[in-house]
Amino acid sequence: MDYNRAQEIVASSKEFEVSYNGVSVWIDKLHDDGKTATVHLRHAHEEHSEVNISELKEEYLIQ
């Protein structure tokens, strides 16, 4: 995924399925470096990780 698409997903009122290494995640924050983001597992809000945005994959729009 690129930074601009990640920004669109974070700003959207719609919910998108995003994965990191095959695991469903929620994007919490995009970092100012334009390369990394803080994410958490969709069903485990207490565990956050910093990942490269390029490693995030948009799967589909959740209806």
Side-chain angles (χ1 to χ4, degrees):
M1 176 178 302
D2 67 27
Y3 183 80
N4 290 333
R5 182 61 185 142
Q7 280 184 309
E8 291 171 357
I9 289 172
V10 170
S12 177
S13 61
K14 297 178 182 175
E15 191 172 337
F16 294 85
E17 179 73 21
V18 174
S19 66
Y20 174 72
N21 288 337
V23 178
S24 182
V25 297
W26 186 266
I27 303 171
D28 294 312
K29 176 184 175 184
L30 299 174
H31 298 214
D32 292 335
D33 64 6
K35 296 178 183 178
T36 58
T38 299
V39 302
H40 69 266
L41 299 177
R42 276 196 177 267
H43 303 292
H45 299 284
E46 63 279 345
E47 195 172 324
H48 298 269
S49 299
E50 186 173 321
V51 302
N52 287 324
I53 294 170
S54 64
E55 295 180 37
L56 296 174
K57 182 177 178 186
E58 181 180 354
E59 302 292 343
Y60 51 83
L61 171 64
I62 298 175
Q63 298 296 329

